[in-house]
Amino acid sequence: MREFVLGLGRNIATLAGAALATVAALAFLFVLALSALGFTDSPYIGIFGFVVVPALFVLGLLLIPIGLRIERRRDRLALERGERPRALPVWDLNDARTRRAFGTFVLLTLVNLAIVGTAGFKAVEVMDSTEFCGTACHSVMAPEYANYLRSPHARVGCVDCHIGPGASWFVKSKLSGSWQLISVNLNLYPRPIPTPVENLRPARETCEQCHWPAKFVGDRLRVFTHYAEDEANTETKSVLLLRVGGVQGRAAQGIHWHVDPSIRIRYLSDAKREDIREVELTRAGGEVEVFRRGGGETAPGEERTWRTMDCVDCHNRPTHIYRPAEEEIDDAIRLGAIDPSLPWVRREGMGALRAGYESHGAATEGIRRRIESFYAASYPEAAAAARDRIAAAADELGRIYRVNVWPSMNIRWGTYPNHIGHTWTVGCFRCHDEEHETAGGRTISQDCTTCHALLAQDERDPEILRQINP
Ligand code: HEC
Ligand code: HEC
Ligand code: HEC
Ligand code: HEC
Ligand code: HEC
């Protein structure tokens, strides 16, 4: 044992390695204890304890044999020069002391393996946690995280959509994740993060872990409430019976017909997937139809690629839902967060949201000042009485701005369009525009009844709602 320790001590690398491994092992056990006591809410503790510390630990372990090797070479050179090499320890297991030393060595190795194993497991667990994905690179992912937290998928882990099951995507994601960590630290990442995400795993391998594609959804009744930009903020409603459909019996129908497992739709488009030139439809029997849009020559150097349609070609914003200002403000008025009895609040609110601000702080301040000064100037008496309601409206507008617009990441209104529908973005009308034609002259329909029965459109008091909800 004495020789072993001396052997360690003879070389600085070995000594440093042993010290590093010991300190790292102690630090690791400390973080593990913290974690057992429930102190691991912060992803930084996780990154430090389960990624950085184990890395140092492994580095320490590696330094030990490197040092021993350098030492051995030095001995060999000494021998060549005709000097007597320093004696190496003789491991005689008949000797009780050596036996004990050997036992200690084996035991320590086992402990080391256990530490590396646990650390590896913990590292994966930490890196797969939603907190890690959402907050470790905070300024970068903050917008995605904020919108995720208020979405229907707020209880679904980032990895369920971004990685999915199986080892190969796991490895791919860790490789791209490592690059992301580097680019964040070196400040190389693009703002905003470009979409569509090119290397997203095919949605059918992720979404379908939870959503059954062949589930028959049928018709879905949706009521859309809007407010006019007039003094009274006049309320109107549109009522739609959306034909979501799905597979029923032996064939699919309605909107989810596109993802019937027996048909395939591919399309040729620009990188943004917005300018669609050709759509190729292969039906269950194998017949192929191609819908082409004439005109609009491809600019030289412009890249167009084919893509097979899946869930995210419509549901491209299932969880990072940036909403248009109109939709947000209409919801806030409908839910009472903004008082509809404040004159012109829809128009003034839109104006305040649309103005440019340098930061979230500046927006909060600017929106408040703008709303308060409008009422002070236009309705001086009423403004005094409605002070609290005006302040509440300004607060709500600030909140709407801060969750949808992120000046630090160059995310503005409309940076991330949502393809469901056609009101605020082209959406379904990228293909359903009556301009994509087969050789036989058939087009992809824009007939309103293909997708929904329009039971009322922008009506003050729709008859249909009184019938179903008297
Ligand atoms: C319900 C599935 C789902 C979940 C859960 C999910 N994402 Fe996404 N995410 C997507 C889809 C789909 C896209 C691709 C959007 C596109 O290509 O236009 C995306 C895109 C992104 C982008 C690119 C920027 C953007 O807004 O398009 C980032 C960054 C991102 N996700 C981070 C996260 C983080 C962090 C979490 C967990 C807090 C998370 N995602 C959870 C489905 C999901
Ligand atoms: C880990 C499970 C899981 C995965 C993976 C998942 N979802 Fe969901 N999704 C849910 C749950 C749970 C809900 C229901 C939330 C609720 O009703 O509040 C939901 C709701 C939805 C809704 C209805 C939202 C609404 O407004 O009612 C849509 C659309 C949807 N998911 C699409 C997708 C798409 C597209 C993907 C793949 C990119 C996906 N989901 C991946 C679990 C999942
Ligand atoms: C052609 C576009 C399109 C495609 C492709 C598509 N969806 Fe949908 N989906 C819709 C529309 C539109 C709705 C209704 C949205 C609304 O209520 O406003 C919907 C609704 C849903 C809902 C809510 C259903 C409910 O019970 O209310 C879920 C869940 C969903 N889709 C999942 C998926 C999954 C998973 C895929 C991929 C297998 C997929 N969708 C593919 C357009 C599409
Ligand atoms: C990439 C192109 C593309 C996009 C985007 C697209 N569709 Fe389609 N859709 C098609 C094609 C192709 C057909 C088949 C047309 C035909 O055969 O007449 C179709 C057919 C349909 C049908 C009729 C299905 C049936 O029962 O035969 C509905 C409903 C529909 N689409 C709804 C939607 C909705 C809603 C959206 C947007 C959320 C949408 N589509 C987006 C390409 C697209
Ligand atoms: C290809 C399918 C499709 C066609 C064709 C289509 N719509 Fe729609 N429409 C949708 C979907 C999907 C939504 C729901 C969007 C959402 O969930 O936010 C919608 C929503 C609407 C809304 C409510 C939006 C709001 O915010 O008030 C109106 C109004 C509407 N459509 C009118 C029409 C009219 C009029 C036509 C005929 C010219 C038409 N649509 C054709 C798919 C379609």
Side-chain angles (χ1 to χ4, degrees), residues 12-27:
I12 187 77
T14 311
L15 190 66
L20 191 62
T22 312
V23 172
L26 289 176

Side-chain angles (χ1 to χ4, degrees), residues 363-381:
T364 309
E365 238 344 270
I367 290 172
R368 167 179 310 285
R369 232 177 299 121
R370 185 169 165 148
I371 295 294
E372 284 176 355
S373 57
F374 169 76
Y375 286 108
S378 314
Y379 298 90
E381 300 96 68

Side-chain angles (χ1 to χ4, degrees), residues 102-148:
F102 189 70
T104 317
F105 177 73
V106 170
L107 190 76
L108 282 178
T109 304
L110 286 180
V111 170
N112 286 345
L113 283 179
I115 289 181
V116 173
T118 318
F121 183 76
K122 275 288 186 185
V124 167
E125 196 177 281
V126 166
M127 287 191 288
D128 275 2
S129 76
T130 296
E131 288 72 26
F132 180 83
C133 302
T135 59
C137 316
H138 40 187
S139 63
V140 189
M141 300 273 178
E144 277 72 32
Y145 192 52
N147 286 296
Y148 155 91

